[in-house]
Amino acid sequence: MGLTRRTWLKTGIAGGLLLAGAWAFHKPLDRLAKRGLVAQAPLDGALRLVVPALVPVLLAGMLPEAAGERQAAIRQATDGVATAVAALSAATQQEVSELFALLALPPTRIAVARLSVPWPEASEAQVRAFLDGWRGSSLALLQSGYQALHDLVLGAWYADPAHWGVIGYPGPPEVPRPS
């Protein structure tokens, strides 16, 4: 059975139509998938699932040692991240929401974070391996995800003036008021 010119042309036309269909429906399907993903894991729930696991690793050495104080500091940092995200633009909130939904949903957590246990059960070593993997990834998207998580947690932590002394920051300079 040889390949005829007619068969070759039909295959080419069918392949072209398939690619055109994929191109035409890519954005609407992608948008629907993202909405579904976010709807399954709303920002606040996903954020409050993921961030408490990240905080002890990203703020290593800065959290109190006593268990009660440590949990309060983790809650405070998580609340700070939620506050920071709420202050972002709607488009950025959407991106952050997608990031946390991606990390919270078990199949995608396993696929992209390589974390087989739920976030609350993850050890600090597992979370550190995830963060190191994303930070050193050859994919710019994963590096951006790491930077977003890093900046949100550290930004929320150091937004509180109570934590400025640890890094030697005296606070913003006072500007004399004209009399």
Side-chain angles (χ1 to χ4, degrees):
M1 180 169 119
L3 182 65
T4 64
R5 180 186 298 184
R6 182 177 296 249
T7 305
W8 187 81
L9 287 173
K10 285 180 182 177
T11 304
I13 291 171
L17 289 174
L18 183 64
L19 287 174
W23 179 79
F25 292 109
H26 172 262
K27 284 191 176 185
L29 289 175
D30 187 48
R31 210 172 288 133
L32 280 175
K34 286 178 181 175
R35 282 187 191 146
L37 189 63
V38 171
Q40 289 176 1
L43 175 61
D44 199 53
L47 183 149
R48 292 189 185 280
L49 184 69
V50 174
V51 171
L54 302 177
V55 167
V57 175
L58 289 172
L59 296 176
M62 293 181 250
L63 296 175
E65 293 296 323
E69 293 176 20
R70 186 176 179 87
Q71 287 305 315
I74 291 171
R75 267 193 308 278
Q76 180 187 4
T78 303
D79 290 344
V81 170
T83 301
V85 170
L88 297 172
S89 70
T92 306
Q93 281 185 35
Q94 179 68 25
E95 289 179 9
V96 172
S97 173
E98 291 171 6
L99 173 63
F100 282 116
L102 178 83
L103 292 173
L105 197 63
T108 53
R109 180 194 69 229
I110 293 168
V112 300
R114 309 245 184 258
L115 193 61
S116 60
V117 296
W119 287 101
E121 298 172 20
S123 69
E124 288 187 18
Q126 290 171 312
V127 174
R128 186 173 295 109
F130 152 69
L131 290 169
D132 289 345
W134 275 31
R135 183 179 56 199
S137 174
S138 60
L139 300 174
L141 184 64
L142 296 184
Q143 290 177 3
S144 296
Y146 168 80
Q147 284 300 324
L149 295 170
H150 177 271
D151 292 353
L152 280 170
V153 170
L154 268 68
W157 182 256
Y158 287 113
D160 185 350
H163 303 131
W164 294 350
V166 175
I167 56 173
Y169 178 61
E174 290 190 30
V175 178
R177 294 180 181 229
S179 50

